[in-house]
Amino acid sequence: MTDVIRARGLVKRYGEVIALDGLDLDVPEGTVLGLLGPNGAGKTTAVRILTTLLLPDEGSATVAGIDVLADPDGVRERLGLSGQYAAVDEHLTGFENLDMVGRLYRLGRTRSRERARELLERFDLSDAGDRPVKTYSGGMRRRLDLAGALVAEPTVLFLDEPTTGLDPRSRTEMWEVIRELVSHGTTLLLTTQYLEEADRLADDIVVIDHGRAIAHGTADQLKLEVGGERIELVVGAVDQIPIARDALAAVAVGEVQVDDQSRTLTAPISNGAESLMAALRKLDTTDVKVLDVGLRRPTLDDVFLSLTGHVAESRPTGADTSDIVPATTEEVAR
């Protein structure tokens, strides 16, 4: 397949801080690449460069076959962008926001209005379309922002942490919208801190930290790097831990971890529910009181703890703060 988004050796520095350190990316046509990383990893910096909002210090990139440095206007004509925060005017109505975007894209008055109504319907915002955006919930604002990115019907879409700050219901609704876009052939680069989000939406994932790609593969492949699924078991008393450890060791594919304080045992497994049932059958023949038990898949923290030595939410001393450094006026206006 043709790579619609392609980057080679992207480097961006802010003084002594290296935001991107030789990043390579490839996104084939009609697929979703999840760019996964903690705060400050360089995800937003990469998106800003690929969407022509920021100049790289080194490296090259193309979007839809167009060089982002040689022809930024041509790139902008072909992409849609939804950033970390909803870029909507809260004093305008939802309809007026989308109509304004259409006018900026020079769609003309009639088409801009038609497109605004189409997108309000598509994103389940028709009933609120004539209300000021300041009355919208966070989820509604995010949907409106995504609708704005689609006004010009781009074939390439960049979503920078589109569900950050949303409640679980709003996040699920946003995932459904994104899946629909992809099903119609949109090529998408998605940045996120949520492994579950990348798991559900991305065909391929690149994990970055401190501006470098540190892992590449599907969500399942990344989870295997930290041991795949595991059984977590909480017993009723400390003196029951050795018996429970023996039961879990019989089905584990690695060392059984024990936390004496919380009376929690964790066993890496390879056969999912089958291993869980086997462990429970063994425990049923003992006097161990099981307070809680379940299958657990690796989280983003597990992946990052394995790959980098720190969890996703932490920002180590001296870490990259590039994702909160705005582009300069010169870079945006070039």
Side-chain angles (χ1 to χ4, degrees):
M1 289 185 288
T2 303
D3 288 332
V4 173
I5 302 171
R6 184 178 176 87
R8 288 292 177 269
L10 291 182
V11 174
K12 185 64 182 178
R13 305 180 185 88
Y14 294 97
E16 296 182 355
V17 174
I18 301 176
L20 292 180
D21 191 12
L23 184 65
D24 295 340
L25 296 173
D26 295 286
V27 189
E29 183 177 5
T31 67
V32 180
L33 175 69
L35 195 58
L36 191 68
N39 287 329
K43 303 185 302 295
T44 295
T45 298
V47 168
R48 286 175 175 163
I49 290 173
L50 293 170
T51 56
T52 77
L53 296 177
L54 194 62
L55 289 168
D57 294 319
E58 297 176 26
S60 61
T62 59
V63 175
I66 301 172
D67 192 301
V68 298
L69 298 178
D71 187 7
D73 290 338
V75 171
R76 292 173 193 146
E77 290 174 359
R78 291 162 174 80
L79 64 82
L81 169 64
S82 180
Q84 290 185 26
Y85 306 101
V88 293
D89 189 325
E90 66 176 15
H91 299 293
L92 300 179
T93 67
F95 171 81
E96 289 168 341
N97 267 275
L98 297 181
D99 180 43
M100 176 180 65
V101 174
R103 302 294 184 91
L104 292 173
Y105 271 108
R106 300 179 182 178
L107 299 184
R109 177 177 178 178
T110 299
R111 181 53 184 157
S112 292
R113 292 186 170 187
E114 289 175 350
R115 188 66 177 146
R117 292 300 179 191
E118 289 172 4
L119 289 168
L120 288 171
E121 178 71 25
R122 183 176 186 181
F123 286 84
D124 195 26
L125 292 170
S126 292
D127 291 343
D130 295 319
R131 282 170 31 201
V133 171
K134 63 183 177 181
T135 68
Y136 285 20
S137 67
M140 294 169 69
R141 290 184 184 216
R142 293 301 295 167
R143 295 205 304 273
L144 182 65
D145 183 63
L146 181 53
L150 299 175
V151 167
E153 302 182 81
T155 58
V156 188
L157 188 60
F158 293 83
L159 302 182
D160 191 9
E161 300 192 21
T163 64
T164 296
L166 296 186
D167 59 72
R169 179 179 178 181
S170 297
R171 180 172 294 139
T172 299
E173 291 174 350
M174 183 65 76
W175 288 345
E176 291 174 356
V177 169
I178 294 171
R179 276 195 293 264
E180 180 187 350
L181 293 173
V182 175
S183 70
H184 287 84
T186 300
T187 300
L188 172 61
L189 189 149
L190 168 77
T191 78
T192 181
Q193 297 182 61
Y194 305 117
L195 184 58
E196 181 185 6
E197 185 161 271
D199 192 1
R200 294 197 180 198
L201 301 175
D203 299 297
D204 203 12
I205 296 172
V206 172
V207 182
I208 68 172
D209 193 31
H210 293 89
R212 298 185 300 273
I214 59 173
H216 180 205
T218 66
D220 287 340
Q221 289 169 340
L222 293 176
K223 291 171 186 177
L224 286 174
E225 292 194 28
V226 292
E229 290 184 321
R230 55 197 68 183
I231 296 173
E232 277 196 357
L233 176 73
V234 180
V235 299
V238 173
D239 61 3
Q240 297 173 344
I241 289 177
I243 302 173
R245 182 195 289 117
D246 290 341
L248 292 180
V251 299
V253 295
E255 183 180 355
V256 178
Q257 302 294 323
V258 177
D259 184 332
D260 290 326
Q261 185 173 1
S262 63
R263 305 184 307 282
T264 301
L265 299 91
T266 304
I269 57 173
S270 60
N271 295 322
E274 182 180 336
S275 295
L276 175 61
M277 293 303 296
L280 290 176
R281 284 193 292 268
K282 288 181 178 296
L283 288 167
D284 195 41
T285 64
T286 71
D287 294 328
V288 172
K289 182 179 180 181
V290 177
L291 299 183
D292 190 21
V293 65
L295 282 177
R296 179 173 175 264
R297 302 189 76 188
T299 64
L300 176 61
D301 281 351
D302 295 324
V303 172
F304 265 85
L305 187 59
S306 173
L307 294 173
T308 72
H310 64 85
V311 296
E313 288 77 14
S314 67
R315 186 191 298 274
T317 302
D320 164 18
T321 57
S322 63
D323 285 358
I324 58 173
V325 178
T328 65
T329 303
E330 178 183 357
E331 289 169 329
V332 171
R334 85 177 198 277

